[in-house]
Every structure is written in structure tokens, then in C-alpha cells.
Amino acid sequence: MEGLIIKSDRRYTYADYLKMDDDRDYEVVGGRLIMVPRPRPRHQKIVGRFFAVLENYFRQTAAGEVYIDVDVLFGDQVVSPDLVVVLKDRLSIVQETNISGAPDLVVEVLSPSTAKYDRKEKSQLYYDSGVQEYWLVDPSLQLIEVYERGEKNWNRSGIYDEEDTLISPLLPGLQAALRDIFSE
């Protein structure tokens, strides 16, 4: 993984994370403090477009809420996914400064420096913590993999490219035209 892992025998916690004051982005996974590079403009454009699609969906359905780049706590572990969705009946996990517990949906837009980390460590953390659906968005391939929670691991429910319209098992009626998401 090219995202910098701070090497130390020490196990980091959320309390340690809160003390970081060097204006860099960090996550704490498995007791490791991980510095995550800031996203590139294309990455942010794709995140913004997905946010708009999800925000519009929730304005129409009132089924939940979508958040962009917010801290998500799983005990002493903290990550900041690109987008998270919390459904209406679970909004109590939304706190003033973070989401305390598993969102229903997590969306990660892959970057060259974090793709392996998002696919392996974070994917496992999300599954183990109870996330119901996970989207991996690959801007370079213009491809999205949608995973839903299975009995023992993620089940891939769909793979979509720029010609497709993404649908979500978790969000009935949601349709995202990926040509619009990936357009330059």
C-alpha cells in the first residue's frame, strides 16, 4: 500500500487520532495510524456527482441521509469514506462530529495510492462492522463494483461500467446513469 503507514509498535486509538494536528488526513485501522493522501480533482468530481445522485434520491424518498468525507467510528477504529449512507431507522448513529457505528452503505472512489487498502483492509473492516452494501468506484476503468452483505463475506451483486445504470439492492428505485458520473 502506498498510503503511508506510520510504523510503530504502539497501537493507536480514536483518542490518538483526535490529537493529530498536522493538517493531514489519517485513519486508524487495526491499531495502525495510516496517513491517507488527499484526493485528486477527478476523484472529488466523481464523489460530488454520486453525492448529488444520492442526495436527490433521499430528498424524494426521505429514506435516509448521505454524508461526504465524514469520520466513521467502529470502536477505536476511525475511517473517512468518500460517501456514507445511513438509513432513516438508524439515524441515531449520526452524532455531531462523526458517525458512530456502521453506515448502511459505504462508497469508496479508488485512488492509485489507496486502492489496495480500500479493497482489503477497509473492505474487511466494513464487513466485520455490519455495513450492508459497499461500492468500489474505479475512475481509471470507469467501473463500479457493488457488494452486498452475505452470510460470511461480501457478495458481488453487480459490476457496472460507464454504459450502464447502477442500481442498488439497498436503495429501491435508485438509478445512477454512470455516463453522467464518469463524464469529463
Side-chain angles (χ1 to χ4, degrees):
M1 173 175 57
E2 293 177 25
L4 179 65
I5 298 175
I6 306 300
K7 304 265 185 202
S8 172
D9 292 336
R10 173 174 183 222
R11 292 194 54 82
Y12 288 84
T13 66
Y14 180 59
D16 297 318
Y17 168 85
L18 291 174
K19 294 176 189 170
M20 303 305 292
D21 64 356
D22 60 4
D23 200 32
R24 295 184 181 182
D25 294 333
Y26 292 95
E27 296 181 334
V28 175
V29 176
R32 295 180 303 162
L33 182 66
I34 301 166
M35 186 178 77
V36 182
R38 295 199 192 276
R40 296 177 179 174
R42 174 129 172 85
H43 177 112
Q44 290 299 76
K45 185 180 279 191
I46 291 169
V47 169
R49 289 175 178 165
F50 266 120
F51 178 83
V53 166
L54 290 164
E55 179 70 11
N56 185 52
Y57 174 81
F58 289 121
R59 283 180 188 222
Q60 292 177 5
T61 65
E65 296 179 357
V66 58
Y67 298 91
I68 191 167
D69 192 30
V70 64
D71 285 348
V72 178
L73 302 184
F74 302 107
D76 256 349
Q77 301 183 94
V78 58
V79 293
S80 298
D82 291 309
L83 294 166
V84 297
V85 165
V86 180
L87 296 180
K88 186 178 179 178
D89 62 338
R90 300 189 60 252
L91 287 173
S92 63
I93 69 171
V94 178
Q95 307 299 307
E96 185 176 333
T97 60
N98 58 57
I99 308 251
S100 187
D104 295 287
L105 167 65
V106 172
V107 179
E108 291 283 10
V109 177
L110 301 176
S111 297
S113 63
T114 62
K116 183 177 177 182
Y117 173 59
D118 290 339
R119 288 186 176 280
K120 188 174 180 187
E121 285 94 345
K122 285 174 81 174
S123 173
Q124 191 65 52
L125 173 64
Y126 297 150
Y127 182 83
D128 291 345
S129 300
V131 172
Q132 297 301 305
E133 190 168 308
Y134 185 37
W135 299 357
L136 285 168
V137 181
D138 188 330
S140 63
L141 296 177
Q142 296 190 351
L143 200 68
I144 300 175
E145 297 169 78
V146 174
Y147 293 92
E148 59 184 322
R149 186 173 190 74
E151 189 174 312
K152 294 184 180 180
N153 210 334
W154 293 114
N155 293 326
R156 188 166 68 189
S157 66
I159 186 163
Y160 304 89
D161 67 19
E162 74 281 1
E163 299 296 320
D164 296 324
T165 298
L166 179 140
I167 57 170
S168 165
L170 186 68
L171 306 174
L174 175 75
Q175 295 188 2
L178 298 184
R179 178 169 305 209
D180 298 335
I181 300 291
F182 288 121
S183 68
E184 292 296 326

